[in-house]
Amino acid sequence: MLNALVTNLAAEEAPNPLIPAWYDIVWSLLWFVIILAVVWKVALPRLTAMLDERSAAIEGNIAKADEAQKQAEAALDEYTRQLADARTEAGQIRDAAREDGKKIVTEAKDTAAAEAARITAAAHTQIEAERQAAFVSLRSEVGTLAIDLAGGVVGETLTDDSRATAVVDRFLADLEKAK
């Protein structure tokens, strides 16, 4: 029987191993259609919804990023404006301080000049008073000396005050003329 079976098999043509049988093609086609229907009805809408959500989220994030960038630019512009204002104000304060400094220096110079003028006037007054005192003292000493000398030259004493005063005045006038 074995021989008969082997002869029967040998008599039939051997099928090509690369071509599947018809029942395999039918069953494969049936499962392919079922899987395609499930993917088409269930998976594809879910995948499309998920991709739409993700696209919307990305667009929302891009819009938020654009808004944040606009706010950052506005903040930078505001900061730049405030910095310029601060620099301008600092310049004004610096100029005001310089003007105040000049005023203070001018006032100090004026005060010092007034004080120097007062001290100079007081010194001149004191010098004039001392000069007058020295002149009076010198005049009396010179007068006494002149009277003693005149008395020694003339040979008589000049005890008369009016005569002594006239001699002293004439002597001093001669000295002033000699200058």
Side-chain angles (χ1 to χ4, degrees), residues 74-132:
L76 179 62
D77 291 342
E78 179 67 21
Y79 170 75
T80 304
R81 186 188 57 76
Q82 287 177 351
L83 184 62
D85 291 345
R87 286 183 178 159
T88 303
E89 186 177 346
Q92 292 171 348
I93 291 171
R94 187 175 45 249
D95 292 341
R98 283 185 185 142
E99 289 299 320
D100 289 344
K102 287 178 183 177
K103 287 178 184 176
I104 290 171
V105 167
T106 303
E107 288 174 3
K109 284 181 180 179
D110 292 345
T111 304
E115 184 67 19
R118 186 189 64 79
I119 291 172
T120 304
H124 283 301
T125 305
Q126 184 177 359
I127 289 171
E128 186 61 33
E130 288 177 4
R131 188 173 78 74
Q132 288 295 332

Side-chain angles (χ1 to χ4, degrees), residues 47-69:
L47 182 64
T48 305
M50 181 183 68
L51 290 176
D52 288 343
E53 288 175 12
R54 190 167 185 186
S55 175
I58 289 171
E59 288 174 4
N61 287 341
I62 288 173
K64 286 179 185 176
D66 287 343
E67 183 63 30
Q69 184 176 4

